[in-house]
Amino acid sequence: MKRSSPTSALEKVEAILANPAVYALAEAIPPPISSAGRRRSYPDYMLIVYDCLLSVYRSARQVEAELSHPLIWRHMRRILKRRFPDEPSMQLPAAPMRRHHYIYGRDRFLTDPEVLGELSRIHREIACAQARELGMLLADGPGSFTHPDLSRMLYADGKVVTPLYKAHPGATRVDRQTGEILPARFEPDAGLHFEGTGETAWGCKFVLVAARLEEEQARIILDLEAVVKPGREAAIAMECFTRLAPLIRGAQGVIYDTALRGVHHQKLLRELGLLPVNRVTAAEKGAKDPRRAKGRRVEKSVYVEDREILVDDVSTRISLYARGGAIGLAEPDETGDMVFSPLRRTRTHRIRDKNGLFRWYNDYQLPASVGGGEITVRLHANEQDKLRGLNRTENVRPIPQGDPDFARLYARRNDAESINRALDDTLYLGRAHSVGWRRQLVEVLGYALTVNSLALHRHRRKRSQEAA
């Protein structure tokens, strides 16, 4: 695979100014209350542009320094004059935008709950449309539910942003000149969050949902949301998937870590019609669990159901078990221990009911020892499972670990980690640009818009070169 070349800062600036989402987002900023007051020094879209440039130059002060350079500001003025030749109010003045202009606009408008909600909605809708333009999440795209295509899969993860201040609530400091004990500055919205590795992280957490097209090495961040209360990452992720589902009819599934459990899989399958692809939670290394043997991971095994099959025209009952998400048979070996034999998945399909909910099934190939043939197993939970105390969606996976398609699909989790690392790289000294989860959400939105702008810019440039 050909690796993409590094991107210059100027190309990122051009990509941001070329993205129509920037100007659509600016329409969510409230207009001046009256015409009698002082006019705004810069068009509203410059608040969005400045926010995006934080991800390019890593700090608001550095953005001010770069915009103050005559070459950069004149270049931006020329681009916007060509874009709005007949609208003087949309063109830039001669004096470059300063940091205090952005700080005022961010705190006055962008962090307003209603405006922030509208910014998220506009970004989500435009990002989904841009993903389809690039060839992602197409309803008539490649792949099937049996063998999903990566261009039609959503993937997401939670990211904890390190606070601007190291101190925790209640910490104090000593004034070196007066000796007075003063409260230390801290991040009031920070919390103690648990990461996928089991380690803890202090800060504000955000969930980012993305899609990727491998052919062009382009990713689009479709949605993002703040995890205001620790422990609600899975619930926030489900809110994102629920908002996205009507906008991306071509999506086939969701790739996530073990933060999503059975109740979340049930909603993905039944209500949203999406395949969950992740591992089954098991005891972690070092846990005091009798199932652990010498520190090795032991997958959960549960009894699923009994089925009647015909073997040489004779009705025979077999018991189905699930181990690590895979359906299979359990037979005693020479020592009397039960040995699990997974069944080969041959087909995954769904049926939509009249009430709009989905039913999901897997077809499996039976071994010759029980007569061969195929058997169909339900993937979603129902009332019978509830009465039996079986959490089917927690223990049975449509595409379990060990399936030939699992490794190909779950590898996309690496790109979610890449998004998180790239977000870290946009932060000065690896810390948040500001204080408060709303301000930080605005800045993460600017990062997402920068990522999308660059992908769209490269795609359209490639298409224009091919047309030429």
Side-chain angles (χ1 to χ4, degrees):
M1 180 187 302
K2 183 180 178 181
R3 299 181 62 181
S4 59
S5 58
T7 307
S8 68
L10 191 57
E11 182 181 356
K12 293 179 181 178
V13 173
E14 294 173 346
I16 292 168
L17 295 178
N19 190 348
V22 169
Y23 311 100
L25 288 168
E27 295 178 1
I29 299 175
I33 298 176
S34 67
S35 58
R38 180 180 177 182
R39 292 182 56 189
R40 292 175 181 171
S41 302
Y42 299 90
D44 291 340
Y45 63 78
M46 278 304 298
L47 288 177
I48 308 298
V49 172
Y50 203 106
D51 187 49
C52 293
L53 292 179
L54 295 179
S55 299
V56 179
Y57 299 115
R58 302 181 63 197
S59 74
R61 295 186 186 277
Q62 188 61 35
V63 172
E64 178 180 328
E66 297 293 335
L67 295 186
S68 298
H69 196 284
L71 293 178
I72 300 296
W73 189 249
R74 282 202 300 265
H75 186 55
M76 292 177 61
R77 293 185 69 195
R78 284 194 296 265
I79 292 175
L80 292 165
K81 189 173 183 179
R82 288 195 299 266
R83 188 176 187 91
F84 303 105
D86 302 323
E87 301 178 66
S89 63
M90 297 292 284
Q91 298 174 13
L92 297 180
M97 187 174 180
R98 304 291 297 276
R99 173 175 173 266
H100 66 85
H101 295 120
Y102 167 70
I103 297 298
Y104 173 81
R106 181 198 65 189
D107 296 344
R108 177 70 175 83
F109 303 116
L110 300 186
T111 55
D112 180 85
E114 293 185 4
V115 175
L116 187 53
E118 186 67 7
L119 290 174
S120 298
R121 182 192 65 81
I122 295 172
H123 167 79
R124 183 166 54 248
E125 293 178 355
I126 295 179
C128 290
Q130 291 176 347
R132 290 191 295 271
E133 180 181 343
L134 268 65
M136 310 174 197
L137 308 172
L138 300 177
D140 56 350
S144 63
F145 290 120
T146 305
H147 305 293
D149 189 80
L150 280 169
S151 67
R152 299 176 66 182
M153 299 293 292
L154 304 177
Y155 62 99
D157 195 16
K159 168 60 182 172
V160 178
V161 176
T162 305
L164 182 61
Y165 305 120
K166 295 182 180 180
H168 287 211
T172 59
R173 65 181 180 87
V174 178
D175 190 302
R176 295 183 180 181
Q177 295 181 350
T178 64
E180 184 181 4
I181 298 177
L182 302 173
R185 290 184 294 183
F186 64 93
E187 170 58 72
D189 294 338
L192 190 63
H193 299 271
F194 287 88
E195 298 181 332
T197 59
E199 299 178 353
T200 57
W202 177 264
C204 295
K205 194 170 193 175
F206 303 90
V207 172
L208 293 91
V209 184
R212 182 178 175 91
L213 186 66
E214 202 62 37
E215 290 78 5
E216 297 191 12
Q217 298 187 11
R219 68 168 71 104
I220 293 290
I221 298 178
L222 303 169
D223 198 10
L224 61 152
E225 189 58 82
V227 183
V228 180
K229 296 182 179 180
R232 299 199 70 246
E233 176 188 342
I236 295 300
M238 291 304 302
E239 290 180 10
C240 292
F241 298 142
T242 303
R243 296 186 307 213
L244 287 170
L247 304 175
I248 45 172
R249 300 294 185 183
Q252 293 178 327
V254 169
I255 303 170
Y256 212 94
D257 59 21
T258 52
L260 296 188
R261 307 302 291 269
V263 63
H264 309 115
H265 295 170
Q266 176 73 358
K267 183 173 182 178
L268 286 171
L269 291 168
R270 286 287 280 163
E271 298 181 21
L272 305 184
L274 296 173
L275 284 170
V277 179
N278 72 345
R279 293 189 176 100
V280 174
T281 304
E284 296 297 331
K285 186 175 182 179
K288 296 180 180 179
D289 192 323
R291 297 178 302 169
R292 305 289 299 175
K294 297 181 180 180
R296 291 182 290 107
R297 174 187 173 98
V298 177
E299 299 288 356
K300 289 194 297 185
S301 299
V302 298
Y303 163 73
V304 178
E305 60 187 33
D306 287 340
R307 299 294 295 273
E308 295 284 345
I309 62 171
L310 292 177
V311 179
D312 297 331
D313 297 330
V314 177
S315 179
T316 304
R317 179 182 293 270
I318 61 172
S319 296
L320 298 178
Y321 295 84
R323 183 177 184 274
I327 290 290
L329 305 177
E331 299 178 353
D333 60 7
E334 298 175 353
T335 62
D337 295 331
M338 300 299 290
V339 178
F340 179 81
S341 301
L343 300 180
R344 184 174 65 87
R345 181 179 64 97
T346 59
R347 184 190 176 206
T348 299
H349 53 105
R350 75 179 187 185
I351 301 172
R352 188 161 192 173
D353 296 333
K354 294 181 180 179
N355 59 6
L357 300 179
F358 297 90
R359 290 179 286 133
W360 288 85
Y361 302 92
N362 267 2
D363 295 341
Y364 296 95
Q365 179 68 46
L366 292 172
S369 59
V370 292
E374 287 190 344
I375 189 172
T376 300
V377 178
R378 172 172 45 84
L379 300 175
H380 60 278
N382 61 11
E383 289 298 325
Q384 296 177 354
D385 294 333
K386 186 176 181 180
L387 294 175
R388 292 173 48 208
L390 172 65
N391 191 344
R392 184 180 292 260
T393 51
E394 172 67 18
N395 295 284
V396 179
R397 293 289 187 269
I399 304 178
Q401 187 176 2
D403 188 282
D405 286 294
F406 182 86
R408 174 179 62 87
L409 295 172
Y410 198 71
R412 185 48 54 88
R413 278 271 307 133
N414 296 333
D415 198 68
E417 299 295 340
S418 176
I419 291 176
N420 294 344
R421 172 55 194 272
L423 176 57
D424 272 337
D425 290 342
T426 67
L427 305 177
Y428 184 68
L429 299 179
R431 295 188 174 275
H433 298 293
S434 57
V435 177
W437 71 263
R438 284 194 175 89
R439 291 173 179 172
Q440 293 181 31
L441 181 59
V442 169
E443 290 153 3
V444 175
L445 177 62
Y447 163 73
L449 193 58
T450 302
V451 172
N452 297 357
S453 299
L454 188 59
L456 187 67
H457 180 67
R458 288 181 167 178
H459 172 78
R460 291 180 173 176
R461 183 177 59 188
K462 180 181 178 181
R463 291 295 177 264
S464 62
Q465 291 174 352
E466 291 174 352

